[in-house]
């Protein structure tokens, strides 16, 4: 079983930055890929980024170099640094532990608006 807690969301103006954090207790964090997803109400959850155990990363095309995912295995934490935010990035952001693909936290809401 895993307990996931996301934080760091908020209201930011277009062009601004936010850093999301996620802690995932339970399971074997260091041996699993970690993911950030996002969801706009009424739409499907979509993958934003992932970080493998070797720290290699992947990003959705819409990221376009604006976001950086990182992980700290000593803290069972994964982060998402988001720069140059756009209104289209408004969503609830969730992280996912690769060992527990059906477990989700409460998410953290990001609103990008002037």
């Amino acid at each position: 079983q895993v307990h996931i807690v996301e934080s760091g969301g908020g209201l930011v103006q277009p062009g601004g930055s936010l850093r999301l954090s996620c802690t995932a207790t339970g399971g074997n964090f260091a041996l699993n890929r970690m993911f950030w997803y996002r969801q706009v109400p009424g739409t499907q959850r979509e993958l934003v980024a992932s970080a493998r155990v070797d720290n290699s990363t992947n990003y959705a095309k819409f990221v376009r170099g604006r976001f950086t995912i990182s992980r700290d295995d000593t803290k069972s934490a994964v982060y998402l640094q988001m720069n140059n935010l756009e209104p289209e990035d408004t969503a609830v952001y969730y992280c996912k532990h690769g060992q527990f693909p059906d477990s989700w936290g409460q998410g953290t809401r990001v609103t990008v608006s002037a």
Side-chain angles (χ1 to χ4, degrees):
Q1 192 171 357
V2 64
H3 181 57
I4 296 172
V5 178
E6 302 98 337
S7 62
L11 173 64
V12 63
Q13 292 186 341
S17 299
L18 284 173
R19 185 176 188 244
L20 307 184
S21 300
C22 166
T23 57
T25 54
N28 198 326
F29 186 95
L31 295 182
N32 284 274
R33 192 172 180 180
M34 294 298 298
F35 305 82
W36 279 101
Y37 283 76
R38 70 184 188 185
Q39 186 173 26
V40 176
T43 70
Q44 283 194 331
R45 202 165 293 186
E46 61 180 353
L47 179 64
V48 177
S50 68
R52 296 182 181 85
V53 296
D54 63 358
N55 286 310
S56 61
T57 57
N58 289 96
Y59 297 93
K61 288 185 178 180
F62 60 76
V63 169
R64 302 192 317 275
R66 301 177 297 132
F67 299 173
T68 302
I69 187 171
S70 60
R71 58 190 292 162
D72 185 341
D73 292 350
T74 66
K75 298 179 180 179
S76 296
V78 61
Y79 308 98
L80 187 68
Q81 176 67 43
M82 304 190 296
N83 300 325
N84 195 19
L85 283 160
E86 303 170 350
E88 293 74 21
D89 296 316
T90 295
V92 179
Y93 285 71
Y94 300 87
C95 76
K96 188 174 78 169
H97 189 303
Q99 185 177 354
F100 304 96
D102 297 325
S103 295
W104 300 93
Q106 83 290 345
T108 186
R109 183 176 301 275
V110 172
T111 303
V112 184
S113 175

